[in-house]
Amino acid sequence: MAAALEHRLVRAASCKLLQKTPSRVRSGSGSVRRSPSVALLSPFALAVWTFSSPLAQDGPLHQGSNPRPHRCQCQASQVYRYARSTQLFSLPKKSNHQGRRQFQRLRNIKQLGTSYYVWPGASHNRFEHCLGVACLARKLLTAIRSRQPELGLTDRDVDLVEIAGLCHDLGHGPWSHVWDAMFMPSVLPDRPWKHEEGSEMMFDFLVKDNNIDIEDADVKLIKDLIAGERRHCDPSEKQFLFDIVANKKNGLDVDKFDYFLRDSRAIGEEIKISLSLLFSSARVIDNEICYDVKHCNLIYEIYNTRFRLHKLVYNHKTAKAIEYMIIDALKLAQNEGGMKIAERVFDPESMCTLTDELMSLIEYMSITDPKLKPAADMFQRIKQRKLYKQVDFKTIQWAERQLFEQNVTREKIVEAAKLNYNKHMDDRKYGTDKADDKEEGFELEDPENLEVDDVIISLSPMHYGMGPENPVDHVKFYSRQSLNQSRSAQLGDYSILMPPFFGEISLRVYTKKPEYYYNVQAGYRAVVQELREKQGQEVRSDLSVPTPPLTPLAPTTGPRSSSGGLRRTASASLNENPWTTVKAGFQPPGTPSPKKRKASVGEEDAPEAKRRS
């Protein structure tokens, strides 16, 4: 009775139909429990209160033919409307996990990781994201269930998919993907670990630690739904359920739908994706979720949005630099500091306290433990914006990644940087150096102390969702004329203006020591020059735009890739980037002035030799 009363109060407040709410609500046991004035709470605070209130957990949640309370439609922006719908009402009793410590830790893990240092407004966390994914999972499956009752979807199916959406990120470590994709492989290369595995481990621990009464078959299905593939669950489970939270067929899942909208709004560049329109056309054909072909352009824009966010936000040059600094700080704490923080991911009890607050913990412990001082100093550099510097950047073709990984290495860059310095000193000694090549007021730094570990080569794949392929080719569509037949959309069915490539590699070169900025850039370019000569490439240094011909050119023809784009026979990836070129001796602003280098033997005579020549 108390739970039903509270649901009515929350519903009325969110719809702005309630002007005053008693501050005291009587529970079913007769005791009086105080609750805040619902009418004065913001929708988000109202949602948190509903989740944390003991009243929301009392009484049966399934009454009569309506298994869940009616969801009111609040008048708000799209990003928060669906999130509020989830938060306003309690989840099914078996999925009431959001108050557990295994789930609450996600409040302290930022969704965007290090991108928060570039966009301070993007402070949302994994807790909010998981609530949104759970909401969208229920909305999508409920929409399919209402239109296709012949599928036999049950309340159990809907509830378990919602739980999978709620718990799919339980295994994320500090700073999200920085932990599992970068830190863990660097310190424990022989013990592979992914956050999906951590989510399954934490879900098992959540069930055991809180004595949750749930069938073993349900647990297996939830973990397979999180993984996005059938592994341990009963073979009779519906196949299309595995494409809702983590879709490995084409990447269209509610996880991405939520963070596309949530992240773009947080950075101030809100995108518009009509999920209600997309969900209204979702239909299961041959055990696969298909969409109306008239929404093909909308789906293409979703994939394009993914590429834009990865290129402009998730792989921002400053965010990447901070990622590498955090990794170095964690490695210092792991090895020199003796904290052994990487091993904590294998202990669910210890994992409950492993969040972004690890930075503050290391800084606090460094006060009494000098072994942690280097790690704490690295964190201070991040806060003071004394970051690693990007010295060069290039976008390379997808197929050339292996070529660069094998031939453009840190060892070769350091070796080339030292050879370039020696050549520069020889030219200066004999008066053959070019004055125009040296930045005025700077002295070329001796890279004698430049080490391999001071150079970073970042190769980040950027794509629309399916690597170098057009992801729309992996989506099945239907038409109103044939509701039970699905097929792939062809290029002319939705557009012919397609990019020639759907994937690329972003190559960035960083230096940890800004005084070696020019040295590292010169070394990198020398290595690429050698590779270019080896590959028989020619440098195009002329950036002038050719005059258009008086008569139009014939349409370009040539071999096409599987995605419909023209294959390029020559690559510009090995050419130098003219926009990042600096003069010899350049150092970024704020770099400490290099110490006066003592002239080598015979160097004093260089000006006189140059005058005589």
Side-chain angles (χ1 to χ4, degrees):
M1 184 66 182
L5 172 61
E6 186 171 20
H7 285 313
R8 287 197 295 271
L9 293 177
V10 173
R11 174 186 170 190
S14 61
C15 293
K16 299 182 179 179
L17 298 177
L18 185 65
Q19 300 299 327
K20 294 183 179 180
T21 302
S23 60
R24 297 163 67 87
V25 181
R26 185 169 299 276
S27 68
S29 60
S31 61
V32 176
R33 300 178 181 178
R34 294 186 177 272
S35 60
S37 178
V38 180
L40 299 179
L41 293 177
S42 66
F44 181 77
L46 179 64
V48 175
W49 170 72
T50 306
F51 271 138
S52 59
S53 172
L55 294 179
Q57 303 176 15
D58 291 346
L61 292 174
H62 299 274
Q63 300 177 1
S65 59
N66 186 9
R68 295 174 62 85
H70 173 70
R71 295 171 181 265
C72 64
Q73 298 297 325
C74 304
Q75 298 299 320
S77 63
Q78 186 180 30
V79 172
Y80 285 96
R81 181 165 62 244
Y82 65 79
R84 287 171 179 171
S85 296
T86 298
Q87 296 165 350
L88 284 173
F89 298 100
S90 300
L91 297 168
K93 188 173 183 179
K94 66 174 68 176
S95 66
N96 196 11
H97 307 323
Q98 66 280 354
R100 317 298 184 180
R101 59 189 179 122
Q102 293 85 356
F103 189 79
Q104 288 292 320
R105 65 179 287 272
L106 298 181
R107 290 182 182 272
N108 298 319
I109 299 178
K110 288 187 172 56
Q111 173 76 12
L112 286 187
T114 59
S115 296
Y116 168 67
Y117 290 92
V118 183
W119 288 273
S123 58
H124 55 297
N125 51 53
R126 292 278 166 183
F127 179 87
E128 304 168 29
H129 167 63
C130 287
L131 292 178
V133 173
C135 171
L136 293 183
R138 172 170 287 272
K139 280 182 175 292
L140 175 57
L141 201 55
T142 302
I144 295 175
R145 181 185 186 182
S146 63
R147 287 190 301 273
Q148 293 181 274
E150 67 275 9
L151 295 176
L153 284 169
T154 63
D155 290 344
R156 170 184 176 271
D157 295 330
V158 178
D159 289 346
L160 296 187
V161 170
E162 184 177 46
I163 296 172
L166 185 71
C167 301
H168 78 285
D169 274 350
L170 286 180
H172 265 294
W175 300 283
S176 296
H177 293 287
V178 174
W179 182 272
D180 62 311
M182 301 175 65
F183 173 65
M184 290 297 294
S186 65
V187 295
L188 297 177
D190 299 329
R191 299 182 67 180
W193 183 85
K194 296 182 179 180
H195 77 270
E196 291 86 357
E197 301 174 11
S199 296
E200 296 182 20
M201 177 191 72
M202 292 300 291
F203 183 76
D204 287 335
F205 181 57
L206 185 151
V207 172
K208 179 181 178 181
D209 185 52
N210 298 280
N211 298 318
I212 297 177
D213 184 16
I214 183 173
E215 298 290 339
D216 183 62
D218 293 350
V219 172
K220 291 181 179 179
L221 177 57
I222 290 172
K223 293 195 291 186
D224 283 1
L225 292 172
I226 293 175
E229 57 183 343
R230 188 193 303 273
R231 300 170 305 170
H232 310 299
C233 65
D234 192 282
S236 62
E237 301 292 354
K238 303 172 182 64
Q239 179 62 40
F240 64 89
L241 296 179
F242 301 94
D243 300 335
I244 295 178
V245 176
N247 191 336
K248 294 189 175 181
K249 293 179 180 177
N250 50 46
L252 281 180
D253 52 55
V254 294
D255 178 25
K256 297 178 181 62
F257 294 157
D258 179 84
Y259 75 70
F260 288 169
L261 295 171
R262 194 177 300 274
D263 294 353
S264 64
R265 191 178 196 276
I267 66 173
E269 301 289 342
E270 184 175 2
I271 59 175
K272 300 294 183 181
I273 299 177
S274 180
L275 293 182
S276 58
L277 185 65
L278 192 64
F279 288 1
S280 66
S281 74
R283 186 175 182 84
V284 176
I285 303 175
D286 296 332
N287 247 333
E288 185 174 352
I289 299 178
C290 308
Y291 299 92
D292 195 326
V293 70
K294 69 179 182 181
H295 298 146
C296 191
N297 284 302
L298 171 61
I299 290 177
Y300 173 77
E301 286 302 320
I302 292 176
Y303 287 123
N304 185 36
T305 296
R306 181 195 188 279
F307 172 75
R308 287 166 47 206
L309 287 174
H310 276 269
K311 190 174 183 68
L312 302 179
V313 181
Y314 308 147
N315 289 277
H316 188 277
K317 68 180 183 67
T318 303
K320 295 295 292 184
I322 296 175
E323 284 183 5
Y324 288 110
M325 296 184 73
I326 289 177
I327 296 303
D328 286 346
L330 294 178
K331 290 167 69 174
L332 288 171
Q334 168 83 9
N335 300 323
E336 284 78 0
M339 289 188 67
K340 304 301 179 185
I341 50 180
E343 289 78 4
R344 292 172 61 179
V345 300
F346 303 105
D347 177 21
E349 185 72 43
S350 180
M351 185 74 169
C352 288
T353 59
L354 197 59
T355 66
D356 292 357
E357 294 179 343
L358 182 61
M359 176 186 290
S360 299
L361 176 63
I362 293 175
E363 290 176 327
Y364 173 74
M365 294 178 62
S366 68
I367 299 175
T368 56
D369 189 351
K371 293 185 296 183
L372 291 174
K373 189 67 166 56
D377 291 342
M378 183 65 70
F379 287 137
Q380 282 300 312
R381 282 187 58 181
I382 295 175
K383 296 175 181 179
Q384 297 170 3
R385 306 294 283 190
K386 298 178 180 179
L387 309 178
Y388 296 163
K389 299 299 181 181
Q390 175 186 289
V391 302
D392 222 331
F393 166 79
K394 195 70 176 178
T395 300
I396 64 177
Q397 295 186 29
W398 187 272
E400 295 176 333
R401 178 174 183 173
Q402 186 176 4
L403 175 68
F404 275 79
E405 287 178 340
Q406 294 176 351
N407 295 277
V408 183
T409 63
R410 298 184 301 167
E411 292 79 6
K412 290 184 177 181
I413 290 177
V414 172
E415 181 182 1
K418 294 181 178 180
L419 290 175
N420 179 75
Y421 173 79
N422 293 334
K423 181 179 181 300
H424 172 83
M425 297 308 298
D426 289 342
D427 291 342
R428 182 176 179 180
K429 177 179 179 180
Y430 297 108
T432 58
D433 61 331
K434 298 179 181 179
D436 293 341
D437 288 343
K438 188 171 68 174
E439 186 77 7
E440 184 178 355
F442 288 103
E443 184 74 18
L444 186 60
E445 188 73 6
D446 187 351
E448 180 182 2
N449 296 324
L450 179 64
E451 300 177 356
V452 173
D453 191 54
D454 297 329
V455 178
I456 299 172
I457 302 176
S458 173
L459 292 169
S460 303
M462 313 278 184
H463 53 88
Y464 276 55
M466 298 299 293
E469 301 177 4
N470 183 355
V472 180
D473 294 342
H474 297 264
V475 182
K476 294 297 182 63
F477 297 92
Y478 68 90
S479 66
R480 295 292 181 181
Q481 290 71 29
S482 54
L483 294 177
N484 296 320
Q485 295 181 1
S486 65
R487 60 177 62 89
S488 300
Q490 301 302 315
L491 192 61
D493 294 340
Y494 53 102
S495 178
I496 60 173
L497 297 177
M498 292 288 106
F501 302 102
F502 288 90
E504 64 186 26
I505 304 296
S506 175
L507 183 147
R508 301 183 189 273
V509 181
Y510 292 89
T511 176
K512 298 181 181 181
K513 298 177 180 178
E515 60 268 24
Y516 296 131
Y517 189 105
Y518 170 77
N519 301 90
V520 175
Q521 184 184 89
Y524 160 72
R525 295 193 171 191
V527 173
V528 174
Q529 171 70 20
E530 181 182 356
L531 180 60
R532 182 166 56 243
E533 294 174 354
K534 181 180 178 181
Q535 296 292 318
Q537 299 285 349
E538 294 183 357
V539 182
R540 291 187 57 189
S541 57
D542 185 10
L543 299 179
S544 60
V545 180
T547 304
L550 296 178
T551 56
L553 296 175
T556 304
T557 59
R560 288 185 173 268
S561 63
S562 59
S563 58
L566 288 172
R567 292 178 183 168
R568 297 181 180 178
T569 56
S571 170
S573 304
L574 296 175
N575 295 341
E576 292 183 357
N577 187 345
W579 309 105
T580 58
T581 303
V582 297
K583 294 184 178 181
F586 170 82
Q587 292 183 354
T591 304
S593 300
K595 296 180 180 179
K596 186 70 175 179
R597 182 182 51 80
K598 185 177 180 180
S600 58
V601 178
E603 192 172 330
E604 298 86 347
D605 301 330
E608 180 64 20
K610 183 176 182 180
R611 186 186 63 79
R612 289 197 302 269
S613 63

